[in-house]
Amino acid sequence: MMTTPFSLGTFSVIGCPPFAGIVIGDRVIAVTALQSLCEKLGFPLSAPETVFGLLQMWDLNFPALQTGIANLELTASQPMESLALDAVKIHAPVLYPQQIFCAGANYRQHVIDLAVAQGHGANDTTSTEERRAHAERMMDERIASGSPYVFTKIPSAITGPYDPIILPADTTQADWELELGVIIGRAARHVSRTEALDYVAGYTVVNDLTSRDKVYRPDLKAIGTDWLLSKSAPSFLPMGPYLLPAAFVLDPQQLHITLKLNGQVMQDEGTDDMIFSVTRLIEYLSQHVQLWPGDLICTGSPRGNGMHYNRFLGPGDVLEGTISGLGTQRNFCVAES
């Protein structure tokens, strides 16, 4: 079915709870307002109040939304009420996913640059040349025979696409990592990479913020990383502005990621530099865990992080992150009070 491309998001107006909305151009239509039209056309919507609810029955709800939008002219006698985007607050499109998975070290150039800049902690005495050579060898091995490296991030880290980023008082190296977010639309277990995209509801923009000075735990030696302390502070996962349904994305490996810090471009890379594609990440995850509708997969960060520039976030900094076709988020950094 051909229909007007649309995005989904979560919005609110003063005095009202958040609601799921359809974005067409610069207007928002509440999904609940479309419900009666969809029912009249024989395509009832399930749980239309929230985006998370819509995702639970995505195989039925997405064609219903398409049908309703394609037939909006049927409401010409009583036009469908809509709101201007600048008249609503825009929240993260999926407010409370059950699970968040993050692919680490998933862009070739990013891993090499990060390994050169970061090494293996404060006591690493290897030279820049040795670190780069080691990282390049590691990448060659991963591409040839490796598997993804995935960790989890907690849902309370999520914040809206235009909300402030709160820099923890005990962090001195808060860093950005703009990434393509994949939102699951069907329960997935033991899914092959050839079928993986059938389980994707849509895509969004995410910024997997990291406290670099909290990543390594010298007291734990071989255990190494501490993702709870370094990744999951409140506001450390700006998400959105919208969910763009997968049907409107021809190829998730042909998108472009751009992050600006105070107007200066810091990250500028295509998703084709991923070591493990979206399909391989879904295949890997579903072999080991159960994926549920609404789950979020952060697919890894391209090069150009603060660690590379030795420039970390401070109060007053502004991050602007864009992925082609998915929109732009803009977050102002503030100190934790």
Side-chain angles (χ1 to χ4, degrees):
M1 176 187 299
M2 296 300 294
T3 188
T4 303
F6 64 90
S7 298
L8 275 174
T10 298
F11 310 93
S12 66
V13 293
I14 294 174
C16 297
F19 63 91
I22 297 162
V23 180
I24 301 176
D26 61 356
R27 308 292 294 182
V28 179
I29 300 172
V31 176
T32 52
L34 196 64
Q35 188 172 15
S36 60
L37 175 60
C38 290
E39 290 178 353
K40 185 184 300 183
L41 295 167
F43 289 85
L45 287 167
S46 173
E49 296 82 9
T50 67
V51 174
F52 183 81
L54 290 167
L55 291 168
Q56 303 314 300
M57 297 289 287
W58 186 244
D59 287 347
L60 297 176
N61 283 330
F62 178 63
L65 290 171
Q66 285 185 296
T67 301
I69 291 167
N71 288 276
L72 279 175
E73 68 273 9
L74 296 180
T75 66
S77 59
Q78 291 183 308
M80 191 74 64
E81 183 178 353
S82 66
L83 295 168
L85 280 172
D86 59 9
V88 298
K89 177 175 173 57
I90 303 175
H91 301 269
V94 183
L95 287 178
Y96 306 112
Q98 293 186 77
Q99 303 182 110
I100 301 172
F101 301 96
C102 299
N106 198 38
Y107 278 75
R108 190 179 193 280
Q109 290 302 320
H110 166 69
V111 176
I112 292 171
D113 289 350
L114 198 60
V116 171
Q118 187 166 284
H120 294 282
N123 298 320
D124 189 350
T125 59
T126 57
S127 69
T128 297
E129 292 75 16
E130 288 171 326
R131 292 179 186 180
R132 182 170 295 279
H134 173 73
E136 290 176 348
R137 288 194 301 270
M138 182 175 66
M139 286 301 92
D140 291 340
E141 292 173 3
R142 287 192 75 203
I143 291 169
S145 59
S147 60
Y149 174 59
V150 181
F151 56 91
T152 58
K153 192 159 182 164
I154 61 176
S156 63
I158 289 177
T159 195
Y162 308 115
D163 291 340
I165 292 169
I166 303 169
L167 304 175
D170 60 351
T171 293
T172 60
Q173 295 183 344
D175 200 352
W176 59 84
E177 296 190 41
L178 196 68
E179 308 187 4
L180 174 65
V182 178
I183 298 174
I184 296 298
R186 297 166 61 189
R189 184 80 168 110
H190 298 297
V191 172
S192 71
R193 69 188 69 173
T194 58
E195 300 174 325
L197 293 184
D198 294 338
Y199 292 79
V200 176
Y203 302 93
T204 192
V205 184
V206 291
N207 195 341
D208 177 25
L209 289 153
T210 306
S211 293
R212 297 292 177 197
D213 49 339
K214 301 292 184 183
V215 171
Y216 290 105
R217 286 283 298 271
D219 58 318
L220 297 179
K221 307 299 182 184
I223 293 178
T225 51
D226 190 326
W227 296 127
L228 179 71
L229 293 188
S230 63
K231 292 277 190 179
S232 288
S235 79
F236 262 38
L237 190 59
M239 180 184 180
Y242 316 119
L243 180 162
L244 181 64
F248 306 132
V249 178
L250 293 178
D251 184 353
Q253 305 308 144
Q254 295 297 321
L255 302 175
H256 201 86
I257 295 175
T258 305
L259 181 132
K260 296 179 182 179
L261 172 64
N262 303 329
Q264 180 180 356
V265 174
M266 310 300 278
Q267 289 184 280
D268 191 27
E269 191 75 76
T271 54
D272 57 349
D273 192 48
M274 282 186 197
I275 297 168
F276 301 106
S277 66
V278 170
T279 58
R280 292 188 68 187
L281 290 173
I282 293 172
E283 178 185 64
Y284 174 80
L285 280 164
S286 70
Q287 299 309 310
H288 298 286
V289 301
Q290 176 70 56
L291 297 177
W292 296 113
D295 285 353
L296 171 64
I297 302 172
C298 304
T299 57
S301 172
R303 61 182 169 179
N305 305 117
M307 179 63 76
H308 172 73
Y309 298 105
N310 194 31
R311 165 58 162 99
F312 301 102
L313 296 172
D317 283 336
V318 178
L319 289 172
E320 186 175 276
T322 302
I323 299 181
S324 51
L326 304 185
T328 298
Q329 54 179 225
R330 191 174 189 273
N331 302 95
F332 184 80
C333 296
V334 300
E336 184 178 34
S337 60

